[in-house]
């Protein structure tokens, strides 16, 4: 435990495992200051179009490397690593891992959240539902039947991967999201690792009852997934186990939040009606609905925001999920090669003025909230002979802003209370042009904190405030400096631009059809 003579007081570590990289950061509990960190990129494997996988062992080894390297950084800074009293985990959600608990080895690559291989699985499940209603399970789990969530990925592996099917039949299979895989491995693995998940990650599987916070028998039966493969559901802030095979041996893991919920906590959205938007590979807007469970009728997801302790109340959120945000800019760089560096998107977009009617709908694998259309595909509309690469880049950035407005419109309809300001975080928020466009296109102030590590901060707050740790006081919130972007265009111009976006959305729908439909149309 931390010495009272420590220069910074007690420290809290945070594992931030995202879609493209993993990081380990160390925070001072008294000030929320980041003292040091180490980051490593994670490869994505794309064996077929629309398939996205990652190697669970690479995720694990990269996590360990980041922890060990950060500890070396602390030593070089003359900070005692023994001052770290706890560690939290935040992770890419819905990404699904299956492994053999006797060997500790994965049974298949992790299937990443944005993978769409389960489209046929979804279709088959919906065929057996009255009126083919994809929202038939929302009363139980808060979610539509979609390729996005973990249950359809697990069902696909059980149907298509012989090693997984055999392991499940022989009761030698553990299922989990990335948090479960890391906690199990870091607390001992096959030598007594803890198989747990927290309520925020469990709420993204389609298997947890959103009211009872337990695995639901009806949902397990619907997907035909046996309970024995599942982790135990815990709160977001309690001691799950103690580190083994890293430089932090003996340090408790005491916080766990899915990445978007971690950002909600890190942005201090503790009051009903507060919301944050995270701009990364995808874009995710969460709106705190307090202890009230709001089931959306306008295409949003009902999810658990956080539960800060075993005895604490559960806080719910409405979520709008956008599949493609930062990945669209990387696509312009890597596939079309009209960008050398994503940082170049700001000056190129700023310098592209008229013609201003180019609209880009980046639906590479369908549209998420509020449309939920797997058959949508990307379209670029309004191209003329005067169009330059700058206009395409600008349209790609504006697409994230328009999709955010889509979600805010749906939230207003569900909650009846328009948002007064939008708190933002994530890597893309470093782009001032994007932030100004966001304020212009939604018509409310956009608030960006100067401390960008809100996701990792949320996990550290959960870990540091856990019972038995208690070095972080969530009621004593330190305000941080912010940048505020105010709308600068008229309401008429804003609505005109949005109407063009909706026209482009209509043109994106219905492009992707299944092989069965292709055959029947011949």
């Amino acid at each position: 435990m931390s010495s009272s003579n420590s220069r910074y007081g007690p420290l809290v570590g945070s594992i931030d495992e995202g879609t493209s990289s993993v990081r380990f950061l160390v925070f001072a509990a008294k000030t929320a200051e980041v003292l040091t960190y180490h980051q490593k990129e994670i490869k994505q494997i794309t064996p077929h179009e629309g398939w996205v996988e990652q190697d669970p062992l690479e995720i694990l080894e990269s996590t360990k490397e980041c922890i060990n390297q950060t500890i070396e950084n602390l030593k070089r800074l003359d900070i005692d690593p023994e001052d770290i009293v706890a560690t939290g985990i935040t992770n890419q959600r819905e990404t699904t891992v299956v492994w053999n608990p006797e060997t500790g080895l994965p049974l298949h690559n992790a299937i990443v959240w944005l993978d769409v291989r389960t489209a046929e699985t979804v279709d088959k499940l919906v065929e057996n539902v009255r009126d083919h209603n994809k929202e038939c399970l929302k009363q139980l789990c808060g979610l539509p039947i979609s390729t996005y969530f973990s249950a359809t990925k697990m069902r696909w592996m059980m149907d298509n991967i012989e090693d997984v099917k055999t392991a499940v039949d022989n009761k030698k299979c553990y299922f989990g999201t990335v948090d479960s895989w890391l906690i199990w491995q870091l607390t001992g693995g096959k030598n007594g690792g803890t198989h747990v998940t927290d309520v925020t990650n469990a709420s993204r599987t389609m298997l947890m009852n959103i009211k009872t916070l337990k695995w639901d028998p009806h949902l397990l039966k619907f997907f035909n997934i046996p309970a024995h493969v599942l982790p135990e559901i815990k709160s977001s802030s309690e001691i799950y186990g103690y580190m083994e095979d890293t430089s932090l041996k003996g340090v408790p893991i005491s916080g766990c939040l899915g990445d978007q919920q971690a950002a909600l906590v890190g942005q201090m959205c503790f009051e009903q009606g507060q919301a944050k938007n995270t701009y990364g590979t995808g874009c995710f807007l969460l709106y705190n609905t307090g202890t009230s469970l709001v089931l959306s009728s306008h295409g949003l997801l009902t999810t658990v925001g956080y539960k800060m302790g075993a005895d604490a109340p559960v806080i719910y959120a409405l979520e709008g999920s956008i599949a493609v945000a930062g990945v669209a800019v990387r696509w312009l760089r890597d596939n079309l090669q009209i960008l050398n560096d994503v940082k170049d998107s700001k000056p190129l977009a700023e310098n592209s003025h008229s013609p201003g009617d180019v609209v880009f709908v980046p639906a590479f694998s369908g549209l998420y909230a509020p449309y939920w259309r797997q058959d949508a595909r990307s379209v670029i509309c309004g191209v003329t002979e005067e169009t330059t690469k700058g206009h395409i880049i600008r349209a790609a950035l504006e697409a994230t802003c328009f999709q955010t407005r889509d979600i805010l419109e749906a939230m207003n309809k569900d909650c009846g209370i328009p948002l007064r300001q939008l708190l933002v975080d994530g890597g893309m928020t470093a782009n001032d042009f994007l932030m100004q466009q966001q304020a212009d296109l939604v018509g409310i102030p956009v608030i960006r904190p100067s401390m960008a590590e809100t996701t990792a901060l949320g996990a550290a707050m959960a870990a540091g405030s856990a019972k038995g740790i208690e070095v972080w006081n969530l009621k004593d919130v330190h305000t941080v400096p912010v940048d505020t972007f105010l709308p600068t265009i008229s309401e008429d111009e804003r609505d005109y631009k949005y109407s063009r976006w909706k026209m482009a959305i209509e043109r994106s729908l219905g492009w992707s059809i299944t092989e069965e439909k292709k055959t029947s149309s011949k």
Side-chain angles (χ1 to χ4, degrees):
M1 296 293 284
S2 174
S3 164
S4 60
N5 296 323
S6 168
R7 190 173 13 148
Y8 294 98
L11 310 180
V12 179
S14 181
I15 297 167
D16 182 358
E17 193 289 313
T19 310
S20 57
S21 70
V22 61
R23 301 183 300 161
F24 184 70
L25 305 89
V26 174
F27 291 86
K30 290 181 179 178
T31 63
E33 177 187 358
V34 179
L35 301 182
T36 185
Y37 74 95
H38 187 76
Q39 179 171 350
K40 187 170 183 183
E41 288 193 4
I42 300 171
K43 295 175 187 172
Q44 292 191 358
I45 303 161
T46 53
H48 302 287
E49 181 183 354
W51 293 31
V52 187
E53 301 177 355
Q54 289 177 329
D55 180 355
L57 292 176
E58 182 189 0
I59 292 173
L60 175 63
E61 293 308 315
S62 296
T63 300
K64 290 180 179 179
E65 179 183 327
C66 288
I67 292 171
N68 294 337
Q69 186 58 53
T70 302
I71 297 306
E72 292 304 310
N73 293 350
L74 285 175
K75 292 176 181 176
R76 283 196 291 271
L77 293 168
D78 196 27
I79 300 173
D80 189 351
E82 300 235 343
D83 291 337
I84 298 176
V85 299
T87 290
I89 288 181
T90 180
N91 57 286
Q92 54 172 312
R93 306 169 304 169
E94 300 95 20
T95 295
T96 303
V97 187
V98 288
W99 68 97
N100 184 325
E102 293 184 1
T103 65
L105 297 175
L107 294 163
H108 190 265
N109 278 338
I111 299 181
V112 177
W113 58 273
L114 46 72
D115 184 290
V116 294
R117 77 185 65 186
T118 59
E120 288 188 16
T121 302
V122 169
D123 289 343
K124 288 176 182 176
L125 289 167
V126 173
E127 277 177 15
N128 298 321
V129 174
R130 188 172 65 181
D131 298 329
H132 305 308
N133 180 13
K134 289 185 178 182
E135 299 195 345
C136 63
L137 302 177
K138 285 189 78 171
Q139 292 289 334
L140 288 175
C141 64
L143 309 172
I145 303 172
S146 167
T147 61
Y148 183 17
F149 305 110
S150 307
T152 57
K153 303 180 195 304
M154 182 63 183
R155 183 66 260 160
W156 184 91
M157 285 192 276
M158 291 170 63
D159 290 338
N160 294 277
I161 306 301
E162 191 59 38
D163 285 351
V164 175
K165 182 181 184 303
T166 301
V168 170
D169 290 343
N170 294 333
K171 296 191 175 180
K172 293 182 179 180
C173 178
Y174 274 179
F175 154 93
T177 41
V178 174
D179 58 304
S180 296
W181 165 249
L182 288 177
I183 292 173
W184 185 81
Q185 290 283 9
L186 294 174
T187 58
K190 62 183 180 180
N191 299 314
T194 307
H195 191 210
V196 298
T197 189
D198 91 298
V199 287
T200 66
N201 280 291
S203 73
R204 313 297 295 189
T205 62
M206 296 198 76
L207 299 174
M208 187 189 82
N209 186 300
I210 197 72
K211 296 175 183 174
T212 67
L213 309 183
K214 299 182 183 300
W215 302 123
D216 188 275
H218 177 79
L219 295 171
L220 295 179
K221 183 179 179 180
F222 182 87
F223 290 102
N224 195 18
I225 293 174
H228 65 78
V229 305
L230 300 173
E232 182 182 358
I233 300 174
K234 298 279 193 177
S235 76
S236 307
S237 180
E238 61 182 278
I239 295 174
Y240 313 114
Y242 296 83
M243 291 268 214
E244 288 292 333
D245 187 23
T246 71
S247 302
L248 292 179
K249 183 176 172 62
V251 172
I253 300 175
S254 54
C256 182
L257 290 154
D259 52 8
Q260 304 312 320
Q261 286 91 339
L264 191 73
V265 172
Q267 285 274 33
M268 320 297 177
C269 293
F270 296 132
E271 300 296 327
Q272 184 176 356
Q274 291 181 312
K276 69 88 205 171
N277 203 21
T278 298
Y279 301 72
T281 301
C283 188
F284 303 88
L285 201 159
L286 265 69
Y287 179 102
N288 183 330
T289 63
T291 54
S292 300
L293 193 156
V294 178
L295 290 173
S296 173
S297 55
H298 297 92
L300 302 180
L301 309 176
T302 303
T303 194
V304 173
Y306 50 85
K307 188 177 190 294
M308 302 300 273
D311 300 322
V314 59
I315 301 300
Y316 291 102
L318 276 177
E319 176 173 336
S321 307
I322 298 167
V324 175
V327 71
V329 181
R330 291 201 296 273
W331 177 79
L332 294 177
R333 179 195 66 188
D334 299 339
N335 291 49
L336 297 194
Q337 298 181 358
I338 62 175
L339 272 173
N340 293 322
D341 191 307
V342 293
K343 294 178 182 177
D344 297 336
S345 63
K346 178 179 180 289
L348 287 168
E350 280 179 329
N351 293 328
S352 61
H353 300 294
S354 67
D357 280 349
V358 177
V359 179
F360 179 12
V361 178
F364 297 139
S365 54
L367 289 168
Y368 283 4
Y371 305 102
W372 297 107
R373 291 289 295 265
Q374 291 173 203
D375 62 347
R377 286 297 178 268
S378 301
V379 297
I380 301 177
C381 302
V383 175
T384 70
E385 62 183 13
E386 295 179 333
T387 299
T388 67
K389 65 180 182 180
H391 295 109
I392 305 297
I393 294 164
R394 181 186 185 116
L397 294 173
E398 288 179 340
T400 299
C401 304
F402 283 126
Q403 289 178 96
T404 298
R405 175 163 173 175
D406 283 336
I407 291 167
L408 287 175
E409 299 264 331
M411 285 186 175
N412 290 345
K413 291 172 184 174
D414 280 327
C415 300
I417 305 173
L419 203 63
R420 293 183 178 179
Q421 63 180 24
L422 182 63
L423 304 177
V424 299
D425 56 77
M428 291 182 77
T429 62
N431 187 325
D432 287 355
F433 173 80
L434 173 66
M435 294 296 95
Q436 185 57 57
Q437 290 299 110
Q438 186 66 90
D440 286 343
L441 295 175
V442 298
I444 57 175
V446 168
I447 312 296
R448 179 182 65 188
S450 59
M451 205 290 283
E453 307 295 350
T454 53
T455 301
L457 175 61
M461 291 166 66
S465 62
K467 185 176 181 180
I469 307 296
E470 298 163 289
V471 298
W472 206 303
N473 184 356
L474 298 182
K475 295 180 181 178
D476 183 20
V477 176
H478 295 271
T479 57
V480 297
V482 298
D483 297 316
T484 301
F485 297 85
L486 300 174
T488 60
I489 64 174
S490 69
E491 188 171 346
D492 286 345
E493 184 178 356
R494 181 179 307 122
D495 289 344
Y496 169 77
K497 288 175 177 287
Y498 188 56
S499 70
R500 307 293 279 188
W501 166 257
K502 299 298 276 189
M503 288 168 64
I505 286 286
E506 285 297 318
R507 287 157 172 78
S508 76
L509 303 178
W511 279 94
S512 177
I513 59 176
T514 64
E515 288 298 322
E516 183 180 329
K517 289 177 182 175
K518 288 178 187 175
T519 303
S520 64
S521 67
K522 290 180 180 177

